[in-house]
Every structure is written in structure tokens, then in C-alpha cells.
Amino acid sequence: MSGEAIERFECFGGWCAVRVGDPDQEAAQRAARWARRTLLDAHATLSRFDPESELSRLNRDPRPEVPASLLLRRTVAAALTAGLRSGGLVDASLVEEIEAAGYAESRDFDGGRAADGAPLPHPAAPSPRAGWCGFSVNESAGTVNRPPGVRLDPGGIAKGLMADLVGEALADFPTFAVDCCGDLRVGGTAARPRAILVDDPTGGPALYQLRIADGAVATSGITRRSWTGEDGRPAHQILDPATGEPAFTGIVQATAVAPSGLLAETLAKAALLSGPAHAEEHLPFGGVLVTEDGAVLLVDALGAPPLPQVLAR
Amino acid sequence: MDPIEKRELKRQAWMRLAAQRRRAGRLRGRVVAISLVCFALLWAVVFAQMATGNDPVLSAKEKATTTRTMATAKSEVETTDPRELETERAAAQAQAREEEAAETEAEPVEEEVEAVESEAEFEEAEPEIAEEEAVESEPLVTSQS
């Protein structure tokens, strides 16, 4: 194969890319363009920062049962799946809390300072309120149900979900890769492994290289989308559901491998929120953890000892 | 038959009947006890086997399939060691030569042809492995989303 059709574009508050490989270059390019349109449409539907997006309209709607598009229904279902799979650690209902932390609208980040002056690390815990449990989907009626006032912020869940949905549509091509701001879904009928680099949270050279033929990888961290709060303390977008404040668990970045983008995103976030003592339990398909002191821990995919393996940078 | 003798015979008959019933009861009890012991024993063996992680359903073939699926589906963290490939190839060639030698005693000419063909197949195998390698494109980067 001579090469892949590539589309790169801004979406979901970052950069997305789609790569499609096929002997018929034109078909590959058409598919990549379709994927781009699909992701941009999804962004328009699911943006928390656009008051006219369907998500914002849902969050404002005073009715307990709100008609919703298929994509929004799938997103709500994905948020429920993430909450269930992580035991409540991945909570998509913390909108008030993220706004209070200083992320009410699209903003600039002064990444890399989150760990400086951060409180003592401790594992996050589920919220006793568990707002995400109030959401449900009625497929036959085409509606989303939730107590009025409970808002949804799918965040990374939407990126993982969209990587899966676009990946499913491209599955019949020999090779494809969907990159939703770092949440990756790769595959294709040729089943050829693809090199995936794990980014350094401090901006240095890549920490590790994975080789995946069919599957997904997602990374969650507290150093890139981070800022200094009004109180002068470091803040970021990964919240501890129990306190509603930015979580400092001792892990600054978690990368998870999984069969699907949604699961990878969920596992990465759950691993980060669990702290170093329990992070491995959330990485059954393997992953890479970076701790506060800069150590890089590799969690083996097959779970065979010795784990974790400390890698030399 | 006088009444005393008659009563005695009746008593003996009753005694025999009672003994027969007792024997049948004993036999029934033994059958039940043996069945229970056998069941418990079998159950304990299966339980012990499962508890120690030796599920017989997971035969060597099943394990290989599971492992392969996991590895393919997810983090194949670096893979083919060229030295291992070389060792495997050398072993296979040695085995092929042995078989060839054994068969040559019977049919020397055909064997040589087959051996040459088999060697040629080996030579051709290497490029196929190389072709299986990663997608040729700029590596993807997973970063904080």
C-alpha cells in the first residue's frame, strides 16, 4: 500500500486526525472526509461550550424527559457505561464542579504546572450523590431521562465514543486510525500493527511505543489541560467525584489500552483517579502510568508478573 | 397341626419377613451412602482442580487462542525477537533434514527434490514475515485528551 489518506482538523477542543488506507486512494480519501464531517458534527452536537449545541439544550431543559438525537442518546448511554465500569469514578455529571474549578468555558491552559503546590496526593472516590446514575435512555421513545438540573459533561467519553463509532464505519478498509485528541482507535482488515507513541506529560520525547493492530488507546492526565485557579492553587479538568475538586492522586498521566475507545478512556481516567496503589486494577489490557515523581510504570497487557516494570526513560 | 405349632410357624414366618425387610433397608442405605460419597468425592476433585486454576476446559490450545487474542487486541508491547525466529528456523530445518535423510534411504531422488522445495519455501518465508510489519506511516501519539 503506497500510503493512507489523512485528514487533520481542529475538533473537540484539540486536534483530531483520521487515516484510511486502501488500494483505491479515492475511496480512502472519501472515507477520511466523511469521518472528518462526522466528527465535526459530533463536536457541534456535544459541545458544552456552545449554548446552541444539543447537549447544552438538554442541560438547560426543565423537563425530566427530553427528546434526543441518536448520537446524544448514545453519549448518555456511554456516560452510564463509564460510570458503571469505573465504579462511579468516571462521573459525567460534575458540570457545576468543573465550572467552579474554572473551566466554565473554552480557555487557555498553562499546562505542566498542575503538580506544583498541589495538595497531598490521595486516591479519588465516587461521589455519594452519583448524579450520573440519574440518567437513562428510552430508545423506543427516543428520549433522555434525568432529574431536571442534573447536567451532563461527556468530556473524554465523547472522544472515546466517537473514535469507536467512526472506527466501526471504517472497519472494512485495510487500515484505519481515528485520533480524537489523543484517544485512538486503530484497526482494519489487513490487521497490521501500528506504532503508537505514549506522550510525555512534561513535553519531553515519547515515553513508550505500543504496537497495536486492532484496538484502542486513551490517555488521561492532569498536566496539559491545567491552569492556576483563582486561589492560586493548581487546577485541572480531572475531578475527584467525592470532593468535586481537581484530583491529585499521585499519578499525573495514565494511558490505557482496551478493545474500544470508550473503554480505554474510562480505564485511563479510572486508573489516574485511583492513585498508584490501585491504578493497575483498572488496566486489565495494559497501559502506562506516570507518577508525580516522574517514574514511568508499564502495566503488562497479559497481567503476568513481574508488574509493574519500571522503564528507563 | 396343633395351634401351638401353627403359632410357632407363623412367628418364624414373621421373623423371616422382618429379617428380609431389614436386609433390604440395609442395602438401600448402602446404595444411598455410596452414591453420596462418590458424588462428594467427584465434586471435591473438580472443586480442587478449579480452585487451583487447572480448568481442564482451558486446554493448551484454548490458552494459546486466548493469549493471542488478548495480545492482538491490545498491548502488543514489542514482539518478534529475530533470534527466536532464527532458532525456530534452525530447528525446523534440522527436523526437515532428518526427515529427508530417513526418506532418502527409501526414495533418494524424490526426497532431494522435496528437500530443495522445502528449503526454497523457507527462503521465501522471510519476506512474508517482513511484510506483516507495522503500517508504514507516521506513528500516532496518544496524549492527554
Side-chain angles (χ1 to χ4, degrees):
Chain A
M1 198 170 303
S2 57
E4 293 183 308
I6 301 178
E7 289 280 337
R8 280 195 185 88
F9 48 97
E10 277 193 89
C11 187
F12 296 126
W15 283 91
C16 292
V18 179
R19 301 179 187 189
V20 184
D22 192 272
D24 181 348
Q25 287 283 319
E26 206 169 304
Q29 273 164 4
R30 273 201 308 273
R33 282 197 296 270
W34 168 85
R36 173 191 178 129
R37 282 197 306 275
T38 304
L39 291 173
L40 289 170
D41 288 348
H43 172 64
T45 303
L46 301 174
S47 172
R48 179 166 64 88
F49 305 123
D50 177 3
E52 291 313 309
S53 72
E54 190 181 3
L55 175 71
S56 296
R57 291 203 305 275
L58 170 72
N59 284 340
R60 282 198 305 268
D61 202 305
R63 294 172 291 175
E65 184 167 6
V66 183
S69 66
L70 176 63
L71 177 58
L72 187 54
R73 295 203 302 273
R74 291 190 82 161
T75 306
V76 171
L80 280 168
T81 304
L84 286 168
R85 181 64 182 76
S86 63
L89 281 177
V90 180
D91 188 335
S93 68
L94 303 175
V95 182
E96 268 177 46
E97 289 83 348
I98 191 73
E99 287 176 352
Y103 198 12
E105 53 194 29
S106 192
R107 60 169 297 158
D108 293 330
F109 302 105
D110 54 10
R113 296 187 207 158
D116 302 333
L120 282 176
H122 63 276
S127 162
R129 192 163 52 89
W132 61 274
C133 290
F135 281 88
S136 64
V137 174
N138 185 339
E139 276 302 329
S140 55
T143 58
V144 167
N145 302 275
R146 87 286 176 252
V150 176
R151 292 186 285 165
L152 179 75
D153 174 22
I157 294 170
K159 293 167 190 162
L161 173 68
M162 287 314 299
D164 286 339
L165 295 180
V166 172
E168 278 170 27
L170 300 177
D172 290 337
F173 285 91
T175 62
F176 74 84
V178 185
D179 176 356
C180 287
C181 307
D183 282 8
L184 310 174
R185 177 75 174 89
V186 301
T189 53
R192 294 168 68 188
R194 191 184 283 273
I196 295 175
L197 302 175
V198 177
D199 196 23
D200 183 339
T202 60
L207 296 176
Y208 202 73
Q209 178 172 300
L210 304 164
R211 283 165 65 85
I212 295 176
D214 185 10
V217 187
T219 296
S220 194
I222 65 170
T223 57
R224 291 293 166 88
R225 289 177 189 251
S226 60
W227 60 92
T228 306
E230 286 179 3
D231 56 0
R233 295 170 64 191
H236 58 80
Q237 57 158 2
I238 310 289
L239 302 184
D240 178 348
T243 63
E245 293 180 354
F248 294 94
T249 64
I251 294 181
V252 294
Q253 180 174 288
T255 297
V257 178
S260 75
L262 174 61
L263 185 56
E265 169 67 29
T266 305
L267 296 176
K269 198 166 279 180
L272 187 142
L273 288 168
S274 301
H278 299 285
E280 270 183 50
E281 296 162 18
H282 292 279
L283 300 174
F285 304 99
V288 181
L289 301 168
V290 183
T291 60
E292 208 173 48
D293 55 10
V296 181
L297 313 174
L298 172 66
V299 180
D300 191 290
L302 301 177
L307 291 175
Q309 176 189 351
V310 179
L311 302 171
R313 289 229 197 184
Chain B
M1 190 184 295
D2 70 76
I4 294 174
E5 196 180 344
K6 197 175 175 182
R7 201 180 304 128
E8 179 56 22
L9 285 174
K10 220 175 198 175
R11 193 186 64 81
Q12 284 177 359
W14 185 87
M15 295 269 285
R16 277 200 299 274
L17 198 61
Q20 201 176 3
R21 281 182 185 145
R22 277 198 302 276
R23 201 162 49 245
R26 271 200 308 275
L27 283 171
R28 204 175 292 126
R30 274 183 210 155
V31 168
V32 170
I34 289 169
S35 302
L36 284 175
V37 167
C38 285
F39 175 78
L41 202 64
L42 192 65
W43 193 88
V45 167
V46 172
F47 179 82
Q49 210 169 10
M50 301 293 272
T52 52
N54 298 316
D55 188 343
V57 175
L58 298 176
S59 62
K61 190 181 173 186
E62 291 285 340
K63 272 181 187 170
T65 309
T66 309
T67 306
R68 192 190 173 95
T69 307
M70 283 278 285
T72 308
K74 298 312 86 202
S75 74
E76 267 181 34
V77 180
E78 217 0 42
T79 46
T80 318
D81 185 340
R83 284 172 298 184
E84 279 179 21
L85 277 180
E86 193 56 43
T87 313
E88 279 174 22
R89 188 180 164 205
Q93 278 178 329
Q95 193 183 345
R97 269 191 231 105
E98 276 175 25
E99 283 171 10
E100 182 191 331
E103 284 176 24
T104 307
E105 286 174 15
E107 293 175 25
V109 180
E110 275 184 25
E111 273 319 304
E112 257 182 53
V113 174
E114 278 178 23
V116 169
E117 281 175 0
S118 137
E119 291 250 340
E121 279 171 20
F122 255 122
E123 300 286 321
E124 284 167 11
E126 262 185 306
E128 277 178 25
I129 290 167
E131 245 180 64
E132 282 274 314
E133 296 213 340
V135 176
E136 289 166 19
S137 71
E138 184 189 331
L140 294 165
V141 179
T142 178
S143 56
Q144 295 176 24
S145 54

